Amino acid sequence: MAANELGFDNLLWFMGVVEDNNDPQMLGRCKVRVFGIHPPDKTEVPTEDLPWAWLVAGTYNAAVKPPEGNSWVFGFFIDGKNAQHPMLIGSMM
């Protein structure tokens, strides 16, 4: 696949709220309900159905912690409008 087919030329930026940071694989990922992408009604898209978001800061460093639940975060979907592969680059404090 070409880079533009993967979304690299058309990243989809977002803001959202962390609903789950209890990553069963302990990789520092979290589930984020993205404003304008995932409906606010959790019966339509339950938290467990949200994709895992990776922290761009690097989960390889023990000093980096995933954002707390209910934190507002921002990032991008690396797959563009398909919106299935979120990457987090910051949180609102």
Side-chain angles (χ1 to χ4, degrees):
M1 277 190 176
N4 60 347
E5 292 176 29
L6 295 174
F8 299 125
D9 290 341
N10 194 20
L11 299 176
L12 178 60
W13 296 91
F14 69 78
M15 288 186 65
V17 63
V18 174
E19 290 193 0
D20 181 6
N21 67 357
N22 188 18
D23 182 356
Q25 295 181 9
M26 295 194 271
L27 298 173
R29 303 172 302 169
C30 55
K31 294 198 175 220
V32 176
R33 186 165 302 272
V34 174
F35 305 134
I37 299 290
H38 304 120
D41 183 350
K42 293 180 185 179
T43 62
E44 290 183 46
V45 178
T47 301
E48 56 268 13
D49 290 345
L50 297 172
W52 287 105
W54 289 88
L55 299 172
V56 174
T59 57
Y60 51 84
N61 184 334
V64 177
K65 305 283 188 227
E68 295 292 323
N70 296 319
S71 296
W72 281 35
V73 293
F74 63 96
F76 58 91
F77 286 101
I78 201 161
D79 59 339
K81 291 182 180 180
N82 289 333
Q84 294 301 304
H85 299 285
M87 307 290 283
L88 298 179
I89 57 175
S91 62
M92 309 299 277
M93 302 230 163

